[in-house]
Amino acid sequence: AVDGALVAALKDVAAAVRLLVERARVVAEGAGATSVACAVGGSAGHGKVVCVVSGGNIDAGTLIDLLSA
C-alpha cells in the first residue's frame, strides 16, 4: 500500500541533479534525483531523511546543460 506521494518541480529536480554531481560525485537521472529534490525542498519531512538515488541513464548533453545552468 502507498501512504502518499511527493511531487517536485522540474527546476528543483535539475538542482538536485547538480547537487548530487557537485557534492557527492553521483550522476543520477531526473527520476533518480527526485527524492533529493523533495528532501532539500522540505516536502519529505523533518529530521533525518533517507533518499534512494538511482538511475544514471541521463543523456550527456542534458547533463552538460544542467551543470552549466
Side-chain angles (χ1 to χ4, degrees):
V2 176
D3 292 333
L6 301 174
V7 177
L10 206 50
K11 66 176 183 60
D12 295 336
V13 174
V17 170
R18 279 192 304 275
L19 177 81
L20 286 167
V21 169
E22 292 172 353
R23 294 196 185 170
R25 303 296 187 248
V26 171
V27 176
E29 60 191 52
T34 301
S35 61
V36 175
C38 290
V40 171
S43 63
H46 302 288
K48 293 184 180 183
V49 176
V50 175
C51 295
V52 175
V53 179
S54 63
N57 189 25
I58 187 169
D59 179 71
T62 302
L63 182 60
I64 290 168
D65 290 344
L66 286 175
L67 294 176
S68 63

